Amino acid sequence: MKIIFIILFCLSISFGNAQTFTGQATYQSKTVFDMKLGGDQINDQMRAQIAEMMKKQFEKTYTLDFNSEESLYQEEQNLAAPTGRSGMMSGMMGNFQSGSQYKHIKDSLYLESKEFFGKSFLIQDSLPVLKWELVNESKQIGQYVVFKAVAVKELDKTAFTELRKKEKEGDEENTLLENDSIVSPLDQFEMPKSIEIVAWYTPQVPVSHGPSEFWGLPGLIMEVQSGKTTILCSKLILNPKEKVDIEAPSKGKQVTQKEFQDMVLEKTQEMQDMYGGGKRGGNSIEIRMN
């Protein structure tokens, strides 16, 4: 009961300003992989190069612009030059670019722009809903008191960052790389059916927004632990002097979330067949989009 009273108290103070509430939050996102890249088939220098490539791909900075009903989450642009690696891993990374994520809570609208193999897509769907359980636990993030909430998220087959090694009998090694190309990686990993989401939100900021696809709590989500990914708010500006413009993405071929996932799975299978079906090496690949 204590947590409910605290939340209601904070909301009662902030509710009067909620209709005109605006802000911008900066988040640091980090995904950790515990797999041993390449087993014993590659040297330490190559392993370090792959680790650096994955670090650049999965350690990013995002901004979340929000008001009482809308939010726009987008990555801060990085002008670093792409690596020259070939193979399935770098091929998928280089041809899959996320854009901005727009949420409209009142209309239950979710829009996300993505670029996949040179084509732009606009995912339009209803807001994903998680059944949050509020937990009687709090901590401090910066100057804000945050409270814990947990939920279980069902995973689709494109949640590649949550892949885990299949259990093998005996001492058989999982070989991820061979001759500078990944060999059938998806055959060596499995996708869990679900993961636990742990979120920390603050009723001091009376909006139901959060980073990425997360939302729906009685206060701004300041931190999310989602499987192997942690997203943490490092900076928060409330009611800035300059107007916060929230413009929904509109460019790209319109698809639903499921239609886009099916397309990603199809192209992933094509690449798996290419790199696991006897083809090795090479400096470039080409997959045409219909």
Side-chain angles (χ1 to χ4, degrees), residues 206-224:
V207 296
S208 294
H209 298 298
S212 191
E213 76 267 31
F214 303 108
W215 70 286
L217 286 168
L220 179 68
I221 298 175
M222 301 286 285
E223 180 180 347
V224 175

Side-chain angles (χ1 to χ4, degrees), residues 1-11 134-136 147 201 218:
M1 294 295 296
K2 180 180 178 182
I3 184 175
I4 301 298
F5 284 124
I6 295 175
I7 292 173
L8 289 176
F9 177 73
C10 293
L11 289 176
L134 305 186
V135 180
N136 189 19
F147 298 91
Y201 64 96

